[in-house]
Amino acid sequence: MEEDEFFGEKTFQHYCAEFIKHSQKIGDGWEWRASKDCSDGYMCKTHFQVKNGTAMSHQGTSAHVQTFLPVEEAVDPPLDDFEVTETTTAAEVIKYEYHVLYSCSYQVPVLYFRASFLDGRPLALKDIWEGVHECYKMRLLQGPWDTITQQEHPILGQPFFVLHPCKTSEFLIPVLKNSRKINRNVNYITSWLSMVGPAVGLNLPLSYATAASQEEGNVSGQGKKRSLHSTFPVAEILGLFCIWLCPPCWTQHFLSLLSPLTGH
Amino acid sequence: MTDDKDVLRDVWFGRIPTCFTLYQDEITEREAEPYYLLLPRVSYLTLVTDKVKKHFQKVMRQEDISEIWFEYEGTPLKWHYPIGLLFDLLASSSALPWNITVHFKSFPEKDLLHCPSKDVIEAHFMSCVKEADALKHKSQVINEMQKKDHKQLWMGLQNDRFDQFWAINRKLMEYPAEENGFRYIPFRIYQTTTERPFIQKLFRPVSTDGQLHTLGDLLKEVCPSAVAPEVPNTVLPGEAKIEPTFEPSRIAGGRKASLAVKCWASQGPSRVFIARKKFHWFRTKLKQQVFRAGVQKFQL
């Protein structure tokens, strides 16, 4: 609709579609849901977690992807059925739902999520907050508009928790600008979600990042393999990780440190 | 906006006469009398009902009380919607006063946001103001303000201080002389007939050929089902230029406010208990509003 939109809604939907394609390949469970009038929609995923912190194995992806180091990822062959290794009672299993919506006001993606026990009892904000890693809590508490708050889901009308979107473009725009400079395709949904997701218990397997690079390799038709290919997204994610944790005034500083890594 | 000061005041001072009744299954030590209150249309339920809470808690035991919530004809009321919006959406066709049921247990987790303190209401309100400014000015005006200005905006709303509020809000309602308006109009359209809570889309105040968009243009584009096709003399004020209010919500709320007051006045003020010191003041204001509602066409 608008040419001057950097993250227009159509761009958002395009990158979500690409993201979901890869999710389907590796069985990560993301899907698109259209609103009733089909004018828009959102990306969503449900996963289950036992309260003591060990996630249940779900269709082949390792749940403990807390590291950003370039390790050889031993992907288990995808399981046909959802297998549950459950030794605890039903009351301790928590169902997490993650929804990725587009905010036309801020022109960025927004992460909505909610958690409940299997019997339907929802988790309170303080319980969710307990699950947030210490290093994220500090950053999240910097301003009342940068924290997790409870809000009404704009399409479903039900209470969800939301990571406030107003600072998203500050760290996303440099990523896109930089990648366009060097003609590298970046799926900004992948970049953004890999940044904000872990703060609320949502981890992305590393293959999402390399998938985006591979798509670009196919499009350009070049067989040339860049040796830094497997580490490039890692450096990017590491750098962005630092940026996100720091106050906005440090963003420029870190970006200038990062550019030798992201350039070739 | 200075020539619209009358309209701004009428929107701000709009009131809805309400009767609060305790839910019959709540456990009480003695009979709970209903509580009458004039609710400000522009405020939020949990911000203006401290007296209601105190009134009913007097007849209940501490252990039977948890988070207060409100309901109208079986529908839990979303405290994060402005009061005027809730009334227009759910009860505008019913007789006044607005009958709201008060609950202290079985909080409907799937329908309502929690409101543990006034800070939550402030955070929600400021987040709405911020989002509206993101649309109007790419957040430049709100971000350039100091924290004390944000605080003044909130305190103006909380304490019903029109001048205090508008001293800051007028900055959010200005645009550079060379522009014809805001970047985008902050609006939301609420309907009871849809599952979706509201319609919100990007909409420019001026068309590509420089024509000012009207409310009718907006509705035709984002909510065509609400516009009666090709019928003259429709209810919608199609010729009115879009003048956004400070709330990024509801359309034509101002007109309903005056109508509500008008209907209420005909039923007589004797059915409403008002704080004694405000009663006399209110009667004078009421007469003024009824007179104005009769002769003035609302523009929004």
Side-chain angles (χ1 to χ4, degrees):
Chain A
M1 177 188 163
E2 301 287 334
E3 294 79 22
D4 60 335
E5 281 176 2
F6 201 63
F7 299 122
E9 186 154 12
K10 292 232 158 45
T11 311
F12 166 78
Q13 289 176 350
H14 165 75
Y15 282 125
C16 282
E18 294 295 313
F19 184 91
I20 287 170
K21 266 194 218 150
H22 183 75
S23 167
Q24 284 165 345
K25 263 194 226 159
I26 64 171
D28 197 29
W30 285 92
E31 58 180 27
W32 181 262
R33 282 205 200 136
S35 60
K36 280 265 160 71
D37 56 8
C38 291
S39 59
D40 58 5
Y42 55 94
M43 210 170 66
C44 70
K45 171 179 171 169
T46 304
H47 92 245
F48 297 84
Q49 187 158 328
V50 177
K51 208 173 178 191
N52 64 13
T54 334
M56 308 196 299
S57 55
H58 176 102
Q59 292 187 289
T61 54
S62 165
H64 283 292
V65 185
Q66 298 284 347
T67 176
F68 290 104
L69 298 172
V71 293
E72 278 282 307
E73 222 196 341
V75 179
D76 299 328
L79 306 167
D80 287 308
D81 303 303
F82 178 91
E83 284 188 17
V84 170
T85 49
E86 190 183 335
T87 51
T88 53
T89 60
E92 286 180 301
V93 174
I94 300 173
K95 171 183 166 191
Y96 285 88
E97 285 172 76
Y98 298 96
H99 292 200
V100 174
L101 277 84
Y102 180 73
S103 161
C104 58
S105 307
Y106 294 104
Q107 300 191 346
V108 291
V110 187
L111 182 61
Y112 287 76
F113 61 98
R114 66 178 170 188
S116 59
F117 295 100
L118 288 185
D119 56 10
R121 277 177 301 134
L123 252 69
L125 185 53
K126 61 172 174 60
D127 299 320
I128 307 251
W129 196 245
E130 268 165 34
V132 174
H133 199 282
E134 276 309 311
C135 64
Y136 293 105
K137 274 188 190 169
M138 219 177 57
R139 176 69 180 90
L140 286 171
L141 284 171
Q142 266 178 16
W145 306 330
D146 287 343
T147 54
I148 300 174
T149 55
Q150 199 188 29
Q151 283 182 38
E152 182 184 51
H153 190 290
I155 297 179
L156 299 179
Q158 294 166 17
F160 270 73
F161 295 108
V162 189
L163 213 46
H164 202 276
C166 64
K167 295 263 191 280
T168 301
S169 55
E170 272 181 41
F171 61 79
L172 261 191
I173 283 177
V175 172
L176 267 208
K177 277 206 178 130
N178 219 31
S179 70
R180 282 182 188 185
K181 239 197 294 178
I182 57 172
N183 279 330
R184 185 183 170 276
N185 244 3
V186 163
N187 183 326
Y188 81 76
I189 291 293
T190 305
S191 309
W192 164 77
L193 203 48
S194 65
M195 299 246 342
V196 302
V200 297
L202 176 66
N203 293 303
L204 289 196
L206 208 51
S207 64
Y208 277 103
T210 48
S213 317
Q214 277 159 17
E215 273 155 33
E216 185 248 346
N218 290 337
V219 165
S220 66
Q222 289 173 351
K224 179 171 121 189
K225 285 261 184 258
R226 297 194 191 111
S227 57
L228 286 175
H229 234 190
S230 56
T231 53
F232 172 31
V234 167
E236 180 186 59
I237 290 167
L238 257 179
L240 290 169
F241 178 80
C242 298
I243 291 167
W244 192 64
L245 281 183
C246 295
C249 52
W250 285 87
T251 306
Q252 287 306 314
H253 176 65
F254 275 103
L255 278 175
S256 62
L257 290 179
L258 194 60
S259 52
L261 288 174
T262 56
H264 284 279
Chain B
M1 293 210 82
T2 39
D3 49 350
D4 292 321
K5 199 126 196 239
D6 281 345
V7 178
L8 297 183
R9 293 192 81 90
D10 285 340
V11 171
W12 179 271
F13 290 110
R15 296 289 187 263
I16 297 172
T18 309
C19 171
F20 290 93
T21 308
L22 188 64
Y23 180 55
Q24 59 198 16
D25 287 358
E26 300 286 334
I27 301 164
T28 57
E29 292 178 332
R30 50 187 185 281
E31 176 94 29
E33 292 280 311
Y35 191 89
Y36 292 87
L37 193 59
L38 280 172
L39 298 179
R41 291 182 60 91
V42 301
S43 191
Y44 300 96
L45 274 173
T46 41
L47 190 58
V48 298
T49 48
D50 280 343
K51 289 195 177 139
V52 177
K53 192 158 75 163
K54 283 200 184 90
H55 169 83
F56 289 116
Q57 285 180 344
K58 267 189 289 188
V59 302
M60 294 174 73
R61 293 177 312 177
Q62 194 53 42
E63 55 264 37
D64 298 322
I65 296 170
S66 67
E67 187 171 354
I68 192 173
W69 58 279
F70 305 96
E71 162 248 309
Y72 174 70
E73 293 190 345
T75 306
L77 296 179
K78 299 183 179 182
W79 65 262
H80 68 285
Y81 285 6
I83 290 167
L85 169 62
L86 287 169
F87 177 79
D88 291 346
L89 213 49
L90 303 170
S92 56
S93 50
S94 304
L96 292 169
W98 187 16
N99 288 301
I100 291 182
T101 309
V102 182
H103 293 256
F104 286 99
K105 54 179 204 263
S106 309
F107 191 89
E109 304 275 354
K110 296 231 160 86
D111 300 300
L112 299 184
L113 304 181
H114 280 283
C115 190
S117 69
K118 298 273 185 292
D119 292 342
V120 172
I121 313 174
E122 178 180 1
H124 165 71
F125 174 74
M126 291 311 301
S127 146
C128 290
V129 173
K130 198 168 200 272
E131 185 176 350
D133 203 54
L135 289 168
K136 289 185 284 186
H137 305 115
K138 293 202 225 185
S139 303
Q140 276 161 8
V141 177
I142 192 81
N143 285 344
E144 271 164 18
M145 283 182 181
Q146 297 177 349
K147 258 207 153 45
K148 68 174 175 72
D149 291 336
H150 295 162
K151 208 63 182 173
Q152 186 173 332
L153 211 52
W154 166 246
M155 297 305 284
L157 179 72
Q158 186 178 24
N159 301 327
D160 191 25
R161 302 279 305 275
F162 176 86
D163 293 318
Q164 185 183 29
F165 179 87
W166 274 97
I168 308 298
N169 196 50
R170 65 177 179 82
K171 297 184 214 166
L172 292 163
M173 297 304 274
E174 288 167 349
Y175 43 83
E178 57 269 20
E179 314 277 338
N180 248 324
F182 300 131
R183 185 167 146 83
Y184 297 107
I185 303 271
F187 76 90
R188 281 183 184 164
I189 299 177
Y190 293 81
Q191 294 171 289
T192 46
T193 49
T194 55
E195 181 190 276
R196 193 186 193 111
F198 53 79
I199 297 172
Q200 179 178 347
K201 295 200 174 133
L202 295 179
F203 188 82
R204 293 209 189 263
V206 184
S207 69
T208 41
D209 51 6
Q211 296 294 316
L212 286 173
H213 278 137
T214 63
L215 182 57
D217 293 331
L218 169 67
L219 290 175
K220 270 187 224 147
E221 173 142 341
V222 308
C223 192
S225 54
V227 185
E230 308 298 314
V231 176
N233 305 321
T234 52
V235 176
L236 306 162
E239 277 72 57
K241 188 177 82 170
I242 299 182
E243 278 290 340
T245 64
F246 63 89
E247 286 270 30
S249 69
R250 81 190 185 274
I251 317 181
R255 179 148 59 123
K256 294 255 183 176
S258 71
L259 287 176
V261 171
K262 194 170 165 189
C263 295
W264 179 84
S266 68
Q267 289 182 339
S270 57
R271 297 180 68 190
V272 175
F273 289 96
I274 308 168
R276 198 177 295 183
K277 64 183 180 207
K278 284 189 181 164
F279 184 73
H280 186 71
W281 169 88
F282 178 78
R283 269 218 305 202
T284 333
K285 283 285 158 195
L286 177 61
K287 284 187 202 161
Q288 286 176 7
Q289 286 196 1
V290 168
F291 174 76
R292 275 210 214 128
V295 303
Q296 187 183 55
K297 252 202 198 129
F298 257 83
Q299 282 183 12
L300 245 195

